[in-house]
Amino acid sequence: MTGTRSETATTTTSAQGGVGDSPLRPDGTAKVTGDFAYSSDLWMEDMLWGVTLRSPHPRARIRSIDIGAALATAGVTAVLTHEDVPGAKHYGLEIEDQPVLAIDQVRYTGEPVAVVAADHPETARRAAARIVVDYEVLEPIVDSRAAMVEGSPLVHDVPTQSHYPGGGNILRHVRIRRGDPELSADVVVTGDYEVGMQDQAFLGPESGLAVPAEDGGVDLFIATQWLHVDRRQVARSLGLPEAKVRLTLAGVGGAFGAREDVSMQIHACLLALRANRPVKMVYSREESFYGHVHRHPARMHFEHGANRDGKLAYVKASVILDGGAYASSSPAVVSNAASFAVGPYECDNVLVDGYVLYTNNPPCGAMRGFGAVQVCFGHESQMDKLADRLSIDPVDLRIRNAMREGSRLPTGQVVDSAAPVAELLRRVREAPMPPDATDFDVRTMPGGVSNTTHGEGVQRGIGYAVGFKNVGYSEGFDDYSTARVRLEVLGDEATATVHTAAAEVGQGLNTVVAQIARTELGVGQVVNYPADTSVGSAGSTSASRQSYCTGGAVREACLAVRDGVLALAAAKGIAVEGASLAGGRLLGPGGVTLADLVDVLGDEVVEATREFHHRPTVPLTRDHGGPGDVGQGDAHLQFAFAAHRVIADVDVELGLVRLVEVTTAQDVGKALNPQLVVGQIQGGTTQGLGLALMEEIQVREGKIANPSFTDYLIPTILDTPPMQVHVLELADPTAPYGLRGVGEPPTISSTPAVVSAVRAACGRELPRVPLRPEYISGVQ
C-alpha cells in the first residue's frame, strides 16, 4: 500500500493495536481454520426445521391454498399461511408493501406462500411440496420501460403507501434540474447503456434460529445487517411489543446489502411461536437467489455537451431502474443514481431524471455501491466517447473537469472537504506498468489455460475510470449509532468492554471498535460484547457508514468513560489537569506516570452509553414538473472517491478477456486499520470486475434461469489480477478521526475501467455489462 498521510482529528496516544495499526482480527483465526460459527451452524436440542413454499409464477392470483396433506405428514408440527399472521401482514424497510406470506396474489417467482415446521428438513420439504395452491396465472410485467407507460397493467392494484411522487408502476421519480441544460455545445455525444442484475453472492446463505420465550416473546439469532429494523418488522407482524422480540447477531457469511431486508426472520418466529419449540431455517443456494434482493438492472440514456477544450457545457441523463415486485430500498437507490449521474465532474447545467419501477421481476434493493455503480458505467463510458471525439487523452479530459473541494454537485450541495479526483487519476496513470513477459506462456493468454489461443488476435487495452458516492444515509434520515463502553479491572488488567448492535458482516468492524477503545482508553485488553438489541440501535451495516457512525459512538462513549476515570483519580488526590490514558497508565503532561489504571479503578466500574448522530441532511427538493432548479439540497453527509486503471489482454476474435493488472487509488480520510482498508479496496474492486465480465442473474419472463454458483459466475482467484493499491488520507474535518467510508467506492469505478480497457483493445462501443464474448468479437 502506498499513500499520502495527513493530520486528522485529535487522537490520544494510541496503545499498541490502536487507531492506525493493523492488529490481528479477533475472528480471523477462527474463520481461516473453519472454527467460526456462522448462523447456519446454530443448533438447539428439540429444534424443528422450517421450510418455505414459494410461488413458481411471477404473477398470479391465488384462488385457494390447501394445506391438509402437508399437515397430515408425519413429523410436521405446523403449516402456516397468511391467515396465521397475527399482526401486520405486510412489511418493508421503508414502504410496507411486501406480504409476510402471499395473500391473494403473487408478484414474483419465489414469493413465499406458506411455511412448514417439521422434525427434519427433508420432512419439511416433502410436506411443503404437498401444499396445493390453485393459481390463476397472469401475464407478468417484466419490461421496465413498458411498465412506465400510462395504462400499463399495475403490479400493485392498490397504490402503496409511498410518499414519493410517481404514479402507476413508478415507485419514485427523482428530477434534478440545475442551470440551463438546453445550452448549445461544440461537441455532443450521446449513448444508451445497460447494466444487468447482479447478485451479492455472499457465501453464507440466509439462516437463523428462533426460540420461543417464557414471557410469550421470542429470541431470534440471525445473520443480518440491521438488528433493530429487523426487530421492528418482526414485532409488527407477530403483534408483539418490541421488548418481547429480542435479536442477537449470529455469524454472518457476507452481506453486501442483501441482508438489509427481512428474509426468513418473521417466518421462523411465526413457526417457533406456533410450535412452542425452537425453529431453524437455512436457505439452499438456489433458494437464496429467490430469498434476497439484488442490484437493480438499469437502462440509461446520456447526452454530454462540451466545448472544444473539453470543458463540460451540460449533461442530460435518464436512468430507469427495475425495482422488481416490492419497494425495499429502491427509493433511496434511485435518489443516489440521480444524484451521482454526472459523476465527479463540475458541470453547472444539468438535467437528470431517475425512475425506479415496480415490475414482476425479482425484487431489487441494496447492493454495494447503491445506485452509483450503474450511473458510473454510463458517465464514464460517455467521458471515453467524448475524449475520442475531441482527440483528448481520456485522463486529461477527466482532470480538466474534475470536481474539487468547494465544487457544487448537480443537487447544489457544496463538497466541503477533500475531493481529490484529479490526484487520484494522476496516481493511477503514473503508477508503474506491469513488466513485459520475458517468455511466452500460453497460460497468460485470454482462454490460454483451455488452449483456445496461442496469442492470435490478442490485443492489449488500457482503461481508466473514476467514481464517487455518498457515505451514510441521506435525505434527512436521522442516521445514528449507539455504543456502551465499560472499563473495569479483570484479573490484574484494566479491560474495556464494547457493546453495540452493529453487525459485523466480515468487514472488520469488531477489530476497528476495539482499536478505538485502545486508543481512547489506553488499554490493551478489549472485549467485544455480542451485538444484540439490548443496547440501542447502531443502524445498518451499509452505506460505508459503520466506522463513521458506530466508530463515532464508541469514541464518544470512551471519552465519557475517560472523564469518569479522571474523576476517580481526582477523588484520590491525583492532579489530573492535562492528564491522558495510555499504556494502562494515567499520564500527566510530558508523559509522566501519575498512576496505574488498575490502581485508579480498584473495584470500581466506569460505564457510559452514548449516541453519535452525524450532521443533519435534508431531502432533495421536489416539484410537479415546473421550471427552475429542482432536486436541490444538502442531501448527503460525505463523499468518497476512487479511481482505477485496468490493463487487459483481449482476444478480439474469440471475445475472451484476461485482466493483466489493476491499479486503484482511493481517499479514505484516515486509515483506521491500513490492512483492512486494503482488503476492502481489493474486495470491492473484485466485485466490480465481476459485474464487468461475468456476473448477471439471467431473468427470462420473470424467472431466474441461473440460481446457482454453477451458472451464476463470480470471479475466482484465477480471474483476479495483481492490484496496486494507493491510499490517500485527506482528512474530513467533520468526521471521527477524519475518516471516510471505504467499502463501496472501489466497486463503483472498477467496472467502467475494465470496460474501458476492453473497449480500447477491441474498438467496439460496449454499451452493456456484463460483457459477453459476442459483444467483444462482434460475432453473434
Side-chain angles (χ1 to χ4, degrees):
M1 179 182 78
T2 60
T4 301
R5 303 188 71 88
S6 65
E7 293 300 318
T8 62
T10 302
T11 303
T12 60
T13 304
S14 175
Q16 185 177 6
V19 169
D21 292 341
S22 296
L24 184 69
R25 291 180 57 145
D27 56 351
T29 300
K31 285 181 174 178
V32 298
T33 58
D35 293 326
F36 185 81
Y38 289 97
S39 57
S40 55
D41 297 315
L42 293 166
W43 187 271
M44 283 191 75
E45 290 295 330
D46 200 36
M47 75 179 188
L48 301 171
W49 294 82
V51 165
T52 309
L53 176 70
R54 298 179 179 274
S55 166
H57 309 293
R59 185 174 179 228
R61 290 193 181 90
I62 296 176
R63 295 192 183 103
S64 64
I65 303 175
D66 184 354
I67 63 173
L71 273 173
T73 304
V76 169
T77 302
V79 180
L80 307 180
T81 69
H82 72 91
E83 295 179 345
D84 302 297
V85 178
K89 292 183 181 293
H90 293 81
Y91 68 94
L93 274 175
E94 186 175 347
I95 300 168
E96 294 182 345
D97 62 349
Q98 188 158 356
V100 174
L101 294 166
I103 300 172
D104 57 354
Q105 59 182 300
V106 291
R107 295 183 176 88
Y108 72 97
T109 302
E111 179 157 1
V113 176
V115 289
V116 177
D119 56 8
H120 191 280
E122 188 55 41
T123 302
R125 283 190 283 270
R126 287 200 308 268
R130 292 175 179 173
I131 299 172
V132 178
V133 184
D134 183 11
Y135 293 104
E136 178 189 350
V137 178
L138 304 173
E139 185 71 23
I141 303 155
V142 296
D143 185 280
S144 55
R145 284 204 179 108
M148 290 180 65
V149 176
E150 187 175 350
S152 169
L154 298 178
V155 174
H156 293 267
D157 299 331
V158 178
T160 62
Q161 308 97 336
S162 173
H163 59 277
Y164 297 110
N169 289 315
I170 299 175
L171 173 56
R172 186 179 184 187
H173 174 199
V174 177
R175 298 177 73 246
I176 296 176
R177 305 286 187 271
R178 186 160 176 262
D180 181 8
E182 301 305 326
L183 287 175
S184 60
D186 296 329
V187 175
V188 176
V189 295
T190 62
D192 292 292
Y193 305 98
E194 291 190 16
V195 176
M197 183 185 291
Q198 186 181 19
D199 187 60
Q200 295 85 349
F202 46 65
L203 297 186
E206 293 83 350
S207 50
L209 177 68
V211 183
E214 292 183 358
D215 65 355
V218 64
D219 293 286
L220 177 63
F221 301 85
I222 186 68
T224 182
Q225 290 177 239
W226 197 346
L227 285 166
H228 282 77
V229 161
D230 280 9
R231 181 178 70 171
R232 183 197 74 203
Q233 295 173 90
V234 171
R236 276 182 49 75
S237 291
L238 297 181
L240 292 173
E242 289 188 8
K244 287 192 173 185
V245 178
R246 295 164 291 268
L247 273 65
T248 299
L249 187 71
V252 183
F256 312 112
R259 297 190 201 269
E260 267 203 334
D261 292 81
V262 164
S263 57
M264 42 62 61
Q265 288 91 321
I266 302 174
H267 300 157
C269 291
L270 285 170
L271 289 168
L273 290 173
R274 173 61 67 90
N276 198 30
R277 286 170 63 182
V279 172
K280 178 177 179 177
M281 297 186 77
V282 181
Y283 287 178
S284 67
R285 179 59 57 193
E286 178 176 349
E287 187 174 17
S288 180
F289 273 89
Y290 295 107
H292 64 251
V293 297
H294 313 286
R295 191 184 301 286
H296 294 76
R299 293 174 169 178
M300 302 173 288
H301 177 79
F302 284 84
E303 180 180 320
H304 283 57
N307 300 325
R308 293 288 178 193
D309 64 358
K311 285 291 290 181
L312 291 173
Y314 71 85
V315 175
K316 299 179 182 179
S318 174
V319 180
I320 301 173
L321 302 181
D322 185 339
Y326 296 107
S328 183
S329 54
S330 287
V333 174
V334 74
S335 176
N336 266 21
S339 293
F340 305 117
V342 175
Y345 305 114
E346 292 182 335
C347 186
D348 293 329
N349 305 293
V350 174
L351 184 154
V352 176
D353 285 289
Y355 302 89
V356 64
L357 278 298
Y358 281 123
T359 67
N360 291 119
N361 290 321
C364 292
M367 184 174 173
R368 195 179 202 166
F370 206 77
V373 167
Q374 294 91 324
V375 295
C376 188
F377 172 60
H379 65 63
E380 290 304 273
S381 296
Q382 284 286 99
M383 295 302 280
D384 278 352
K385 187 179 289 190
L386 186 59
D388 184 61
R389 284 283 301 276
L390 291 167
S391 298
I392 297 176
D393 178 85
V395 176
D396 288 339
L397 177 68
R398 288 170 168 87
I399 291 174
R400 196 164 300 174
N401 291 282
M403 186 180 288
R404 66 201 73 190
E405 186 172 354
S407 297
R408 284 189 180 272
L409 272 65
T411 59
Q413 182 168 354
V414 174
V415 180
D416 61 358
S417 63
V421 178
E423 176 63 18
L424 296 173
L425 287 162
R426 292 189 187 101
R427 287 290 184 101
V428 296
R429 179 167 63 180
E430 295 168 4
M433 289 288 186
D436 293 330
T438 55
D439 298 311
F440 177 78
D441 185 342
V442 70
R443 293 172 298 175
T444 66
M445 293 290 101
V449 292
S450 301
N451 201 31
T452 59
T453 181
H454 284 199
E456 311 90 341
V458 174
Q459 301 290 330
R460 176 161 291 187
I462 303 175
Y464 297 88
V466 62
F468 80 130
K469 81 170 290 287
N470 59 320
V471 172
Y473 280 20
S474 302
E475 289 205 85
F477 188 88
D478 184 14
D479 192 9
Y480 73 94
S481 185
T482 312
R484 182 179 299 143
V485 174
R486 177 185 179 98
L487 186 64
E488 61 190 318
V489 177
L490 296 178
D492 58 357
E493 187 172 2
T495 301
T497 300
V498 179
H499 187 192
T500 78
E504 166 65 76
V505 300
Q507 80 278 36
L509 179 66
N510 286 346
T511 310
V512 167
V513 297
Q515 290 177 251
I516 292 171
R518 291 190 192 101
T519 294
E520 301 300 343
L521 297 177
V523 298
Q525 181 68 30
V526 180
V527 176
N528 284 317
Y529 195 85
D532 60 25
T533 52
S534 69
V535 68
S537 176
S540 175
T541 297
S542 61
S544 304
R545 62 173 291 282
Q546 283 292 15
S547 291
Y548 193 120
C549 293
T550 296
V554 171
R555 183 171 186 263
E556 292 295 326
C558 285
L559 292 176
V561 168
R562 185 173 66 185
D563 289 344
V565 172
L566 295 179
L568 282 177
K572 295 182 178 183
I574 300 172
V576 298
E577 185 175 353
S580 61
L581 306 181
R585 295 171 295 165
L586 179 63
L587 302 181
V592 176
T593 299
L594 301 177
D596 288 336
L597 260 181
V598 292
D599 295 328
V600 174
L601 288 168
D603 296 329
E604 298 286 342
V605 174
V606 183
E607 183 175 290
T609 300
R610 292 291 184 271
E611 286 184 357
F612 177 87
H613 296 250
H614 64 60
R615 59 181 176 170
T617 59
V618 299
L620 293 174
T621 59
R622 304 170 187 167
D623 73 349
H624 299 285
D629 289 357
V630 70
Q632 303 294 294
D634 293 346
H636 303 295
L637 166 65
Q638 186 192 59
F639 305 99
F641 303 83
H644 282 81
R645 180 189 73 189
V646 171
I647 302 171
D649 284 342
V650 181
D651 190 321
V652 298
E653 297 173 355
L654 298 177
L656 302 177
V657 178
R658 175 182 173 269
L659 299 180
V660 177
E661 186 185 75
V662 172
T663 300
T664 181
Q666 184 169 329
D667 174 28
V668 304
K670 169 67 177 177
L672 301 189
N673 182 309
Q675 188 176 65
L676 289 179
V677 164
V678 172
Q680 283 291 302
I681 292 172
Q682 291 173 333
T685 295
T686 303
Q687 207 156 26
L689 308 184
L691 176 60
L693 295 176
M694 61 187 73
E695 291 190 48
E696 183 176 10
I697 296 177
Q698 301 286 336
V699 182
R700 298 168 185 164
E701 293 303 310
K703 298 185 177 184
I704 298 176
N706 58 333
S708 73
F709 283 168
T710 300
D711 299 311
Y712 181 90
L713 304 180
I714 57 177
T716 68
I717 191 67
L718 294 178
D719 302 301
T720 307
M723 293 186 198
Q724 297 184 57
V725 178
H726 299 259
V727 175
L728 278 67
E729 295 183 88
L730 306 177
D732 179 347
T734 68
Y737 303 105
L739 67 84
R740 295 182 194 279
V742 174
E744 292 175 285
T747 306
I748 295 168
S749 51
S750 50
T751 296
V754 171
V755 177
S756 179
V758 176
R759 188 184 288 128
C762 72
R764 299 189 181 277
E765 190 170 351
L766 304 180
R768 188 185 190 282
V769 289
L771 300 178
R772 297 176 183 173
E774 59 266 30
Y775 301 167
I776 299 167
S777 67
V779 178
Q780 298 296 320

